């Protein structure tokens, strides 16, 4: 759902010569900004019997919007409120859940719970705000509600800010993909180094270090990312849900019955003995809040879900509240119980606290396989944005230079995958997730939505100081998140 963020988040864009290209490409990007628009707001074209994919998750019955249509074209959705809440829950809950126990180790029981509550609440509020703004701008402009984040931003705040959102969304896409590389690298390195369990990874590739695994992972996802028929990856939704839920359940069962194996009541009582607050509020906020934002701040992922709902204007807010509340409960309970199991020994990814017996190693490998095949789906819209920005939208109609076109696409994909690999070298999963979540996702969730709402309320004549104060407060909090995460990341990199 985006480990990274502003000047720093635009590294991904700059390094692949994309959204903010000079000269003649800027005019092309302005032309494309509604049709190719935001990553994940762009619909992926599947066969009629295949579902619409949002990130790595399935949304049933999405109507496809063609590249020639404006982003304000109405779609006829079929999703109910319950279905939308379920899909939102899938977008939120993922690999980031396994980093939360370490977040609570840094922030403490009360500190971590407060941070989770604050982030979840504000993410829900701003997701609901985005949907309200769609209908507000629709009434002001007398057009259909915009169906992408970039289109909404362009109508509310103008072309310059919409291009910033365009770039941030691309940066978030590459950032999320970079965390997949880190996750796979850390997990396989842990399996490879375990001589005691004699797991299959150690037997085949003993003592291979994390960076080598990350290079292998990048080399594996590169050819997968060249595939243009995304329907072959539709199975990743069910696989992903099974792997994540299975991982959470297995981690809890392992801790209760095996290591430390003291039972659920002992684990719950051990929570009271844990650190309640962080040793340094500043370091905890800058060093781990972005990981929580990585989990909850899926604002830019939600447009296909909104577009596929029967009655988004009335039902979306309730769907968001339900999804965020359930995921909040599951993840807080999971993080606290895991922390009570392992205490100060809690790893960056709690899966590394589990042994590597045949069943547990199989689960870890399943999670890695899921991310390998989810990578091309999450990566695809960002890659398409890059291709359209650099090569042009109509390039597929030109059959004269087919070989040259294929080589150009391969080079663009290689550059983007290389950027993902580069971001993965910033640190462990928690570090990269914190950067992506705090910078890119934090900006898209905490700064842009209140700015849109304030702008539209003033244009509609419905603004007041009382109405604007909450929006300015959320925006100020977003600026603090981005600044703290950026400072902490630079501090850690220098040290």
């Amino acid at each position: 759902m985006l480990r990274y963020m502003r000047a720093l988040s635009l590294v991904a864009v700059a390094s692949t010569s994309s959204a903010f290209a000079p000269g003649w490409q800027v005019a092309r990007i302005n032309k494309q900004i509604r049709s190719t628009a935001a990553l994940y707001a762009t619909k992926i074209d599947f066969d009629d019997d295949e579902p619409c994919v949002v990130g790595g998750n399935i949304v049933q019955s999405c109507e496809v919007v063609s590249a020639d249509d404006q982003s304000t074209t109405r779609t006829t959705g079929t999703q109910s409120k319950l279905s939308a809440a379920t899909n939102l829950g899938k977008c939120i809950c993922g690999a980031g859940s396994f980093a939360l126990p370490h977040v609570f180790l840094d922030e403490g029981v009360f500190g971590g719970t407060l941070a989770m509550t604050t982030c979840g609440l504000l993410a829900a509020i701003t997701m609901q705000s985005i949907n309200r703004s769609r209908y507000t701008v629709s009434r002001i402009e007398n057009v259909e509600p915009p169906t992408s984040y970039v289109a909404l931003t362009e109508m509310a705040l103008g072309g310059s800010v919409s291009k910033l959102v365009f770039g941030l969304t691309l940066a978030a896409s590459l950032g999320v993909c970079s965390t997949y590389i880190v996750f796979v690298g850390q997990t396989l390195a842990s399996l490879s180094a375990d001589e005691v369990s004699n797991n299959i990874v150690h037997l085949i590739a003993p003592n291979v270090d994390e960076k080598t695994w990350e290079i292998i992972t990048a080399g594996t996802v590169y050819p997968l990312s060249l595939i243009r028929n995304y329907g072959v990856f539709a199975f990743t939704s069910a696989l992903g849900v099974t792997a994540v839920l299975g991982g959470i359940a297995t981690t809890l069962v392992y801790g209760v019955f095996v290591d430390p194996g003291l039972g659920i009541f002992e684990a719950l009582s051990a929570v009271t003995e844990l650190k309640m607050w962080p040793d340094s509020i500043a370091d905890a906020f800058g060093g781990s809040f972005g990981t929580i934002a990585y989990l909850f701040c899926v604002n830019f992922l939600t447009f296909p879900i909104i577009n596929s709902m029967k009655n988004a204007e009335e039902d979306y807010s309730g769907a968001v509240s339900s999804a965020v509340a359930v995921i909040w409960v599951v993840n807080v309970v999971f993080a606290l119980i895991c922390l009570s199991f392992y205490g100060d020994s809690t790893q960056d990814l709690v899966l590394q606290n589990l042994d590597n017996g045949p069943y547990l190693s199989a689960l870890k490998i399943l999670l890695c396989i899921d991310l390998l095949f989810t990578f091309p789906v999450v990566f695809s819209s960002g890659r398409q944005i890059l291709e359209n920005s650099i090569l042009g939208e109509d390039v597929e109609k030109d059959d004269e230079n087919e070989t040259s076109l294929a080589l150009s696409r391969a080079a663009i994909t290689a550059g983007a995958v290389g950027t993902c690999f580069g971001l993965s070298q910033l640190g462990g999963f928690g570090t990269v997730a914190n950067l992506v979540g705090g910078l890119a996702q934090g900006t898209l969730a905490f700064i842009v939505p209140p700015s849109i709402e304030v702008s539209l309320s003033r244009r509609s004549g419905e603004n007041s100081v009382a109405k604007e104060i909450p929006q300015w407060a959320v925006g100020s909090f977003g600026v603090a998140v981005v600044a703290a995460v950026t400072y902490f990341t630079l501090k850690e990199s220098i040290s």
Side-chain angles (χ1 to χ4, degrees):
M1 205 204 279
L2 312 177
R3 311 150 217 352
Y4 347 160
M5 304 2 145
R6 252 20 329 110
L8 211 56
S9 71
L10 296 179
V11 168
V13 183
S15 62
T16 48
S17 305
S18 59
F20 298 100
W24 59 272
Q25 292 180 348
V26 173
R28 174 181 294 158
I29 294 170
N30 286 332
K31 176 176 179 285
Q32 297 164 354
I33 209 161
R34 287 182 181 268
S35 57
T36 57
L39 162 68
Y40 299 115
T42 302
K43 304 296 184 64
I44 298 176
D45 191 7
F46 290 120
D47 295 334
D48 293 339
D49 60 344
E50 291 177 325
C52 174
V53 172
V54 186
N57 301 303
I58 297 295
V59 180
Q60 295 295 342
S61 303
C62 283
E63 181 175 315
V64 175
V65 179
S66 71
D68 296 327
D69 293 336
Q70 292 293 313
S71 291
T72 51
T73 301
R74 178 183 293 277
T75 57
T76 303
T78 61
Q79 274 200 104
S80 65
K81 180 178 177 181
L82 176 60
S83 176
T86 301
N87 282 301
L88 281 168
K90 292 178 183 178
C91 287
I92 296 170
C93 194
S97 297
F98 299 107
L100 290 179
H102 195 271
V103 168
F104 274 69
L105 175 64
D106 291 338
E107 299 194 356
V109 173
F110 291 156
T113 303
L114 178 61
M116 288 277 288
T117 303
T118 302
C119 188
L121 179 62
L122 293 182
I125 289 173
T126 55
M127 279 189 276
Q128 293 165 345
S129 170
I130 285 173
N131 191 48
R132 287 196 305 272
S133 295
R134 293 175 62 246
Y135 292 98
T136 300
V137 77
S138 173
R139 290 188 290 270
I140 293 174
E141 301 284 352
N142 194 28
V143 296
E144 298 293 347
T147 57
S148 79
Y149 204 167
V150 170
L152 171 62
T153 307
E154 184 179 20
M155 297 173 72
L157 300 175
S160 297
V161 180
S162 69
K163 282 186 282 187
L164 175 63
V165 170
F166 181 88
L168 289 176
T169 307
L170 175 59
S173 167
L174 298 181
V176 169
C177 289
S178 72
T179 62
Y180 293 171
I181 293 176
V182 178
F183 187 101
V184 174
Q186 286 187 211
T187 302
L188 294 182
S190 173
L191 291 168
S192 176
D194 189 351
E195 300 178 359
V196 177
S197 67
N198 230 15
N199 64 82
I200 188 171
V201 176
H202 178 75
L203 291 174
I204 296 174
N207 302 315
V208 176
D209 62 30
E210 181 180 333
K211 184 173 182 179
T212 301
W213 280 117
E214 289 172 348
I215 293 173
I216 294 172
T217 301
T220 301
V221 297
Y222 172 66
L224 293 175
S225 299
L226 294 173
I227 297 175
R228 321 290 298 185
N229 178 15
Y230 308 124
V232 301
F233 299 116
F235 72 93
T236 59
S237 175
L239 177 62
V241 172
T242 301
V244 171
L245 294 181
I248 290 175
T250 301
T251 303
L252 294 175
V253 171
Y254 180 85
V256 170
F257 296 105
V258 181
D259 180 18
L262 300 178
I264 185 63
F265 295 108
E266 184 67 24
L268 292 174
S269 64
V271 172
T272 60
E273 302 174 8
L274 297 172
K275 178 176 68 178
M276 294 294 114
W277 296 100
D279 298 326
S280 168
I281 294 178
D283 286 347
F285 184 68
S288 58
F289 189 86
T291 304
I292 301 175
Y294 175 87
L295 193 74
F296 282 107
C297 295
V298 296
N299 300 57
F300 67 95
L301 288 172
T302 64
F303 272 87
I305 297 177
I306 293 174
N307 298 336
S308 63
M309 292 185 70
K310 292 178 182 178
N311 190 352
E313 187 170 12
E314 295 183 5
D315 292 342
Y316 181 70
S317 291
V320 169
S321 297
S322 299
V324 170
V326 170
I327 298 303
W328 181 91
V329 171
V330 170
N331 281 283
V332 168
V333 171
F334 175 70
L336 287 175
I337 293 180
C338 287
L339 184 58
S340 74
F341 291 155
Y342 308 114
D344 292 339
S345 299
T346 302
Q347 297 295 307
D348 186 37
L349 286 171
V350 74
L351 290 173
Q352 294 175 2
N353 286 105
L354 281 59
D355 71 27
N356 295 316
Y359 296 109
L360 292 175
S361 60
L363 173 65
K364 295 177 183 181
I365 293 171
L366 177 63
L367 283 165
C368 292
I369 292 173
D370 167 57
L371 291 183
L372 288 176
F373 285 100
T374 301
F375 185 104
V377 179
V378 176
F379 181 83
S380 61
S381 291
R383 183 204 64 200
Q384 189 64 50
I385 289 174
L386 287 172
E387 289 181 357
N388 288 344
S389 299
I390 297 172
L391 302 178
E393 286 186 68
D394 299 329
V395 70
E396 292 193 39
K397 298 178 181 179
D398 182 7
D399 296 328
E400 296 180 1
N401 300 310
E402 187 173 339
T403 300
S404 176
L405 175 60
L407 291 174
S408 297
R409 286 173 167 171
I412 291 170
T413 300
V417 171
T419 299
C420 294
F421 174 77
L423 288 172
S424 73
Q425 301 308 297
L426 293 176
F429 182 88
T431 300
V432 181
N434 185 60
L435 177 62
V436 176
L439 286 178
Q441 291 176 247
T443 301
L444 293 170
F446 299 139
I447 298 178
V448 177
S451 301
I452 290 174
E453 187 147 334
V454 168
S455 174
L456 293 179
S457 67
R458 291 180 178 180
R459 286 170 58 184
S460 65
E462 298 175 357
N463 65 303
S464 66
V465 174
K467 288 183 178 180
E468 288 193 9
I469 287 178
Q471 302 302 327
W472 282 105
V474 174
S476 299
F477 177 80
V479 172
V481 170
V482 171
V485 169
T486 303
Y487 171 79
F488 181 86
T489 303
L490 292 175
K491 177 183 174 182
E492 288 295 299
S493 299
I494 293 173
S495 62

